[in-house]
Amino acid sequence: MTVLDARALNRATLARQLLLDRSGVPVLDAVAHLGGMQAQEPQEPFVGLWSRLRAFEPSALSELLTGRRVVRTHLMRRTVHLVTAADVLAWRARHDAMLRGRVLGTYRRELEGVDLDELAAAGRAVMADGEPRSMSELARALADRWPAPGPRALGEMLVAALIPMVQLPPRGLWRTRAGVRNAPLSSWLGREIDPPAPHGADPVGAALVRRYLAAFGPAASADLRAWCGLAGLPAAVAAVRGELVAFRDERGRELLDLADAPRPDPDSPAPVRFLPAFDNVILGYHDRSRIIDDAHRGLSVAGARVVLVDGRVAATWSVEAGTVTVTPLRRLPRADRTAVAEEGRALASFLSDRDSDRVRVTASTG
């Protein structure tokens, strides 16, 4: 079985993630190809798409949100993701058990004795008036009936798990600050989510395997679980295994992939790319060594924005008063510092609507 080293996996990942060459696909198609984008920080997907698409216009994503073609919702790993309307309708029921389990993992003591089906029905009854609500508003409406858990536990269970919800615009629109107002997905999109498959069938699981490998492969089953948070996918992997090819990484793990997916030459040049906080290109793997050193792994869960140099995390970045500041994690050769500064100027221009192209590359922290 062919062994793929970290550099080969890196270049495959960059190609699938539209980071090796910026793509000309429409924004909706990019969000679909990526299997959604982590979006707990509302403005971060704009940077993620700018780094992946040629001539990206932020208004295109804002219009997809207001036009109800993409939504902000709790999905993979119980985190807020930006996903297409078609995907959330198809995938949401498959995530129900995971979402409940993850909220219970945090609030099991508070929710002990609460009938979750009864709570869900009560929450839907409150939301049936068509009024968007914050999580705390919904919880307060039910607090007299369930006083013991407290508003945080009730709200999290209702909004993140029991009732498929969407975070309504203007939250998530370009250059807009707005609180979270929730509405049921079914009312926002005009149709119910797809029902669960009959017992023993898992077409959504099989689709998730294919979609994950298209955007993240070659990858191990543990990587797939890390991306979506679903533990019950072995049967789905087995169902599509006949379509897949297999490799091994340098640790001996089996990696699966779509047969016709791109696996570029490991020596393919990788341009500098600026990534937003919590980008799935890092979080979407159990073994993240293909793109980030173990010593820096904590950056990916701490919300640091990072810079890829030669395809790997090599710096962090921030922006203030129109100036993008880059802090290398190791000493960068002069050519790399020049490339980082050039891409940083382009990012500063994008973030400031072309009012500034200021960039500052500091000394290495390493």
Side-chain angles (χ1 to χ4, degrees):
M1 191 179 294
T2 301
V3 174
L4 300 177
D5 63 17
R7 190 174 177 88
L9 293 174
N10 175 269
R11 293 312 193 254
T13 294
L14 296 180
R16 312 290 175 88
Q17 287 285 310
L18 314 181
L19 292 167
L20 199 59
D21 296 295
R22 279 187 167 96
S23 174
V25 302
V27 173
L28 183 66
D29 293 348
V31 174
H33 169 75
L34 295 169
M37 304 180 73
Q38 177 124 339
Q40 63 199 63
E41 297 294 337
Q43 295 296 299
E44 299 302 298
F46 290 95
V47 174
L49 289 167
W50 174 82
S51 288
R52 289 171 164 92
L53 300 179
R54 294 194 293 271
F56 170 64
E57 289 293 338
S59 60
L61 179 56
S62 292
E63 288 166 6
L64 289 172
L65 281 161
T66 57
R68 310 188 188 200
R69 301 185 71 191
V70 302
V71 299
R72 293 172 47 82
T73 187
H74 288 87
L75 201 62
M76 282 75 80
R77 308 185 300 275
R78 193 173 71 96
T79 54
V80 177
H81 270 68
L82 186 75
V83 292
T84 69
D87 282 343
V88 75
L89 290 168
W91 295 353
R92 180 53 170 78
R94 185 63 177 81
H95 288 72
D96 277 353
M98 179 272 292
L99 293 169
R100 288 191 182 203
R102 292 210 169 193
V103 177
L104 282 175
T106 302
Y107 299 108
R108 189 173 303 276
R109 181 183 302 172
E110 291 88 340
L111 293 166
E112 185 176 0
V114 174
D115 185 313
L116 297 184
D117 292 336
E118 187 179 342
L119 177 61
R124 289 191 182 95
V126 171
M127 298 301 297
D129 63 5
E131 289 296 319
R133 288 175 171 83
S134 68
M135 186 176 72
S136 60
E137 288 170 343
L138 177 56
R140 284 198 298 270
L142 299 171
D144 288 346
R145 189 169 172 183
W146 285 280
R152 184 72 186 184
L154 279 183
E156 287 270 2
M157 179 55 79
L158 286 162
V159 170
L162 295 182
I163 306 174
M165 293 278 205
V166 57
Q167 295 185 355
L168 297 183
R171 188 164 179 85
L173 302 184
W174 177 239
R175 291 183 166 279
T176 300
R177 297 176 66 88
V180 177
R181 308 292 290 174
N182 301 289
L185 270 165
S186 56
S187 63
W188 182 247
L189 297 180
R191 54 162 282 197
E192 297 292 333
I193 65 172
D194 294 349
H199 181 68
D202 193 8
V204 175
L208 286 169
V209 173
R210 296 187 188 99
R211 294 283 294 278
Y212 175 74
L213 292 176
F216 294 87
S221 294
D223 298 318
L224 171 64
R225 290 195 300 272
W227 169 67
C228 63
L230 301 175
L233 287 174
V237 173
V240 302
R241 183 177 281 272
E243 309 170 16
L244 308 178
V245 293
F247 304 93
R248 291 205 182 276
D249 64 14
E250 294 174 300
R251 294 167 47 194
R253 298 190 314 159
E254 182 185 52
L255 307 177
L256 299 175
D257 203 7
L258 303 177
D260 59 353
R263 290 178 287 275
D265 187 316
D267 292 328
S268 300
V272 169
R273 292 288 186 254
F274 282 69
L275 297 182
F278 306 112
D279 196 291
N280 274 342
V281 74
I282 301 174
L283 296 183
Y285 295 98
H286 173 70
D287 180 2
R288 300 171 185 171
S289 61
R290 69 180 66 194
I291 199 163
I292 188 169
D293 295 343
D294 286 344
H296 301 137
R297 183 184 173 102
L299 294 173
S300 59
V301 295
R305 296 156 160 173
V306 299
V307 184
L308 302 183
V309 177
D310 193 26
R312 299 188 62 80
V313 173
T316 61
W317 69 274
S318 61
V319 60
E320 186 174 357
T323 299
V324 169
T325 299
V326 179
T327 304
L329 300 170
R330 55 177 171 79
R331 183 183 177 278
L332 296 178
R334 179 175 297 180
D336 288 341
R337 287 179 68 89
T338 299
V340 166
E342 181 178 354
E343 186 74 355
R345 281 191 288 272
L347 176 62
S349 178
F350 167 74
L351 292 173
S352 67
D353 289 336
R354 300 176 179 83
D355 283 344
S356 168
D357 64 354
R358 296 187 299 274
V359 64
R360 183 170 70 96
V361 183
T362 70
S364 167
T365 61

